[in-house]
Structures are given as C-alpha cells and as structure tokens.
Amino acid sequence: MDQQFLSQLEQTLSAIVQPNSAGLKEATKALQTTFYKQPQTLPALIHILQNNNDDALKQLAGVETRKLITKHWDALDAATKTQIKASLLQTAFTEPKEIIRHSSARVIAAIGNQELESGQWPDLVPSLIQAAASDDAQSRQTAVFILLSLLEDFNTALTVYIDDLLNLFSQTINDTASLETRSLSAQALNNVSALIEEQENIDSNQAAKFAGLIPSVVNVLDAVIKADDTTNAKLIYNCLNDFLLLD
C-alpha cells in the first residue's frame, strides 16, 4: 500500500471528524474529486478502519468504505480481495470495541452481498453460521450481527441458506448469555421470512418452521421490555407487525 497516499487520506478524513474544522469544505471536496475516484482508496479506507487509533476516524472509514464497495470492489485484484476479506473477518471478531466491530461487520456484509450476487465468497455464510454456534458469547453475537446485516439487503442469493438460518436462529434466539443476540436473531428472522415469502413456490416446511419461532420472538419482546431496552423493544415490535402482513 502506498504509505503517502494512506497518510494523505487519513489527514483528509481527520478534517471531517474534527469539530469546527476550518478545512472541512476542502477536505470534503478532496475526498469526492480525488480519493473516491480511485480504487486504491477502498483498501486504504479498510486499513484505516482496522488500524487507526482514532475511533471516530475508524467509524468514518467504515461508512465511506460501504459507499465505495459497489463502485470499486470489482476493480481490485483477486489477491487484494482475498486479503481484505480474511482480515475483515479476523478484526470483526477480535476488535474489543463493539461499535468498531459493528463497523467492520457492515463492511463485511456490503462486500458479501456484492460477492454473493456473482457467486463469489461461498464460504462466508457457512463460516458465519459456524461462528454463531460457537461457545464464545461475543463471537455468537458478532456472527449474528453480520448475518443480520447481510439479510437486510434482501439478497436472494441467501435463499439457499434459509433452512440453515432457521435452524441457527432457533438456537440463538434463546441465547442465555446475551439478550442482544436474541434481539438480533429476532430481527434476522424477520428478514428470513421475507426470503421465504419471495420464493415463487413457498416451501411449506420452511414456512411452518418460521411460524413455530414466532412465540420465541414474542418472548424476546417481553425480555427487552422487562430490561427497559426501548430501542430493541421498538425493533422487535416492528418485526411482529411485519409478521402480520405475511401470507
């Protein structure tokens, strides 16, 4: 990686996150007219997300990375893509701060949806399903969060994993170590239900298995209400409303 290019990009992004930055306008212009037109900006942003010491800069890098995936991902060589995917999966599960883990997770999902549409990265979903069934609570939560982020884009390439996802979320929605994992699982099931319904011929077994999990979603709603978690309560309530619209 060109270290001078990386340093210039970091300095430019720093002007965005610093309050009352006098160089904000110039920095924004430089990003749009210079950096964001170049494919090498994509791996540079991911490097910043993974290695910078400033959490605000990391989060901004994550947001900007997602914007550039559809524009520049296909321009990267295969070796660079492979390295990026491996490193993102590693840092998403080892990063100590949840907000940064989530930033990495959303980048993984953005790349994953791009790759899955063209039949690439076939081991992504199976590896996430495996991680979501691990003995480590944080790994389970991170894996479910990435899966939810993937499902939120409603990528029909995920249809082949419906059975595996239903089996997984039937377990994680009852996770005894993390109410957040249970909430994420309920939200993910909402997206799985949309995939089930979108099929030309709805699989009756999948529909029945999903219907059997609705009481578990109700239990999650009850749990988050008792925990005074208004954010997740609203999210789960919205899921249950969506269920009412299913055929």
Side-chain angles (χ1 to χ4, degrees), residues 71-141:
K71 185 176 183 179
H72 291 315
W73 180 254
D74 289 341
L76 301 179
D77 61 74
T80 299
K81 289 180 180 179
T82 299
Q83 188 276 328
I84 286 174
K85 291 186 289 188
S87 66
L88 279 171
L89 281 172
Q90 180 181 11
T91 55
F93 285 93
T94 58
E95 164 62 45
K97 296 181 180 178
E98 181 178 83
I99 193 167
I100 307 302
R101 288 201 304 275
H102 284 184
S103 291
S104 295
R106 292 187 181 98
V107 171
I108 291 169
I111 294 172
N113 276 305
Q114 181 91 351
E115 292 267 276
L116 289 168
E117 287 181 358
S118 56
Q120 304 299 311
W121 211 354
D123 57 339
L124 174 60
V125 175
S127 67
L128 291 173
I129 289 175
Q130 182 178 7
S134 74
D135 292 332
D136 180 70
Q138 181 176 298
S139 294
R140 292 197 301 272
Q141 182 175 320

Side-chain angles (χ1 to χ4, degrees), residues 63-241:
V63 170
E64 298 307 303
T65 296
R66 298 202 307 275
K67 294 178 183 177
L68 296 181
I69 294 296
T70 55
K71 185 176 183 179
H72 291 315
W73 180 254
D74 289 341
L76 301 179
D77 61 74
T80 299
K81 289 180 180 179
T82 299
Q83 188 276 328
I84 286 174
K85 291 186 289 188
S87 66
L88 279 171
L89 281 172
Q90 180 181 11
T91 55
F93 285 93
T94 58
E95 164 62 45
K97 296 181 180 178
E98 181 178 83
I99 193 167
I100 307 302
R101 288 201 304 275
H102 284 184
S103 291
S104 295
R106 292 187 181 98
V107 171
I108 291 169
I111 294 172
N113 276 305
Q114 181 91 351
E115 292 267 276
L116 289 168
E117 287 181 358
S118 56
Q120 304 299 311
W121 211 354
D123 57 339
L124 174 60
V125 175
S127 67
L128 291 173
I129 289 175
Q130 182 178 7
S134 74
D135 292 332
D136 180 70
Q138 181 176 298
S139 294
R140 292 197 301 272
Q141 182 175 320
T142 299
V144 172
F145 185 89
I146 300 173
L147 287 167
L148 171 59
S149 299
L150 274 169
L151 287 161
E152 284 177 337
D153 273 4
F154 194 66
N155 191 330
T156 53
L158 294 170
T159 301
V160 297
Y161 298 108
I162 288 177
D163 287 318
D164 293 328
L165 292 170
L166 286 171
N167 289 335
L168 171 68
F169 296 138
S170 71
Q171 300 299 315
T172 56
I173 201 168
N174 296 306
D175 195 305
T176 58
S178 170
L179 182 54
E180 181 65 18
T181 297
R182 296 177 65 193
S183 176
L184 293 169
S185 300
Q187 295 169 61
L189 279 169
N190 190 21
N191 291 291
V192 173
S193 72
L195 287 176
I196 293 172
E197 191 172 50
E198 188 63 19
Q199 296 176 100
E200 185 174 349
N201 297 306
I202 294 178
D203 187 309
S204 59
N205 290 327
Q206 292 174 348
K209 185 175 291 186
F210 167 77
L213 292 172
I214 293 178
S216 295
V217 178
V218 175
N219 289 338
V220 176
L221 177 60
D222 181 59
V224 294
I225 290 174
K226 288 179 179 177
D228 239 2
D229 185 346
T230 55
T231 299
N232 275 318
K234 290 177 182 177
L235 290 168
I236 306 305
Y237 182 77
N238 289 338
C239 289
L240 290 169
N241 276 337

